[in-house]
C-alpha cells in the first residue's frame, strides 16, 4: 500500500463539537486520507462499532483507517473487504505505542509512536513512525520538551522509516516547517477535533502539505502564517 504521508488525523471524541464520525467525514472531505482511531478507553465492543462506522468513510475516498493498539478491531465475519489485506481478509493497519509490543504483530501497515533516538533504535518491521512532540501541545502533554523543527530534523535523519511529525501542529507554517525538516507528513489531533469547521481546517492543512511537497508550488498567503 502507499506510504503514509500527508495529513493524518488522530481521533479524540472528547474534543469534538459534533458527532465524531461527522468530524472525520468532514476531515476526509477536506483531503485527509488516513485516520488513527484512538479512543482506547472505550470497551472493545464500542471501539469495534466505531471502527465499523469509520472504515466506509475512509474507503469511499480511498483512505485507510489505522487502529491504535495491537487489536485491528475487525469483526469476526464481514462481507468481502473493500480494501483487501495482503494476508487475506480485510486490511489490517495498526499504530502501536512506544512501550510495545515488540516485535510488531504481522499487519499490512504498522506505525509506532516514538519520541527519541532510543525508541527509534528499537524499530524492526514498522512501516512508519510518529515523532512527538514537535510543538507545545494541549492534547497530549507530558512527553518531554518540544523537539521543534531542528530536533525533528535530527531524529528524522536517524529514522529508518518515514516520519510523521506530531504534536501542536495547527497552522500551514507548522506543516511546512515539519515537511522541510524531513517529515513525510503530519499527524494532527486537536486542530481538527476541536475546530468549529473541521472541513475548513483539514482543507487548509492538507493544501499546505500538498503545496510544500509539490515542486514549483508557491505557498498561499495563509500558508505563510
Amino acid at each position: 500500500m502507499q506510504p503514509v504521508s500527508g495529513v493524518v488525523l488522530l481521533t479524540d471524541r472528547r474534543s469534538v463539537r459534533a458527532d465524531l464520525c461527522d468530524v472525520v467525514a468532514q476531515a476526509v472531505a477536506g483531503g485527509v486520507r488516513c485516520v488513527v482511531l484512538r479512543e482506547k478507553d472505550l470497551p472493545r465492543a464500542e471501539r469495534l462499532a466505531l471502527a465499523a462506522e469509520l472504515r466506509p468513510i475512509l474507503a469511499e475516498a480511498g483512505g485507510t483507517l489505522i487502529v491504535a493498539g495491537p487489536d485491528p478491531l475487525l469483526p469476526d465475519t464481514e462481507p468481502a473487504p473493500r480494501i483487501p489485506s495482503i494476508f487475506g481478509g480485510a486490511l489490517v493497519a495498526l499504530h502501536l505505542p512506544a512501550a510495545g509490543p515488540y516485535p510488531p504483530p504481522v499487519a499490512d501497515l504498522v506505525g509506532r509512536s516514538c519520541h527519541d533516538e532510543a525508541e527509534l533504535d528499537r524499530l524492526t518491521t514498522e512501516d512508519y513512525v510518529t515523532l512527538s512532540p514537535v510543538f507545545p501541545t494541549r492534547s497530549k502533554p507530558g512527553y518531554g520538551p518540544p523537539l521543534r523543527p531542528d530536533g525533528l530534523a535530527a531524529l528524522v535523519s536517524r529514522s529508518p522509516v518515514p516520519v510523521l511529525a506530531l504534536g501542536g501542529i495547527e497552522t500551514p507554517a507548522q506543516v511546512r516547517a515539519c515537511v522541510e525538516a524531513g517529515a513525510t507528513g503530519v499527524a494532527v489531533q486537536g486542530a481538527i477535533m476541536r475546530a468549529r469547521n473541521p472541513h475548513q481546517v483539514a482543507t487548509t492543512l492538507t493544501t499546505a502539505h500538498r503545496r510544500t511537497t509539490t515542486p514549483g508550488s508557491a505557498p498561499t498567503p495563509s500558508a505563510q502564517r
Side-chain angles (χ1 to χ4, degrees):
M1 64 182 301
Q2 293 292 321
V4 176
S5 63
V7 176
V8 175
L9 175 62
L10 280 63
T11 71
D12 180 8
R13 72 187 188 284
R14 291 192 173 93
S15 296
V16 296
R17 299 171 182 267
D19 177 73
L20 177 60
C21 291
D22 181 57
V23 171
V24 170
Q26 290 188 55
V28 171
V32 170
R33 291 296 177 267
C34 280
V35 173
V36 178
L37 171 58
R38 299 177 67 242
E39 320 306 334
K40 296 170 72 173
D41 58 310
L42 288 175
R44 185 179 188 277
E46 292 184 35
R47 289 189 83 212
L48 187 65
L50 200 48
E53 287 188 73
L54 294 177
R55 282 199 174 92
I57 296 172
L58 272 299
E60 286 289 340
T64 302
L65 181 70
I66 302 171
V67 177
D71 181 352
L73 296 178
L74 295 174
D76 294 333
T77 58
E78 63 176 22
R82 304 178 71 160
I83 304 178
S85 166
I86 60 174
F87 305 105
L91 184 86
V92 175
L94 304 173
H95 186 87
L96 304 174
Y102 292 94
V106 175
D108 298 282
L109 178 70
V110 177
R112 176 84 69 185
S113 296
C114 291
H115 311 88
D116 53 35
E117 290 183 11
E119 291 174 353
L120 289 174
D121 288 343
R122 297 187 69 185
L123 299 175
T124 54
T125 60
E126 288 85 347
D127 298 293
Y128 76 93
V129 295
T130 58
L131 282 172
S132 67
V134 178
F135 299 103
T137 172
R138 289 179 288 166
S139 300
K140 204 173 180 182
Y143 285 85
L147 295 167
R148 306 291 181 182
D150 287 348
L152 173 65
L155 289 178
V156 167
S157 69
R158 293 288 303 269
S159 176
V161 294
V163 170
L164 298 175
L166 169 65
I169 299 166
E170 300 183 351
T171 69
Q174 289 173 318
V175 172
R176 187 172 67 242
C178 291
V179 172
E180 290 175 347
T184 59
V186 298
V188 175
Q189 180 178 298
I192 294 176
M193 287 284 117
R194 291 192 293 265
R196 293 186 182 279
N197 189 334
H199 175 266
Q200 183 180 58
V201 175
T203 300
T204 298
L205 298 181
T206 57
T207 299
H209 180 273
R210 185 176 65 253
R211 288 182 178 276
T212 306
T213 56
T214 303
S217 292
T220 60
S222 62
Q224 298 175 22
R225 287 180 292 163

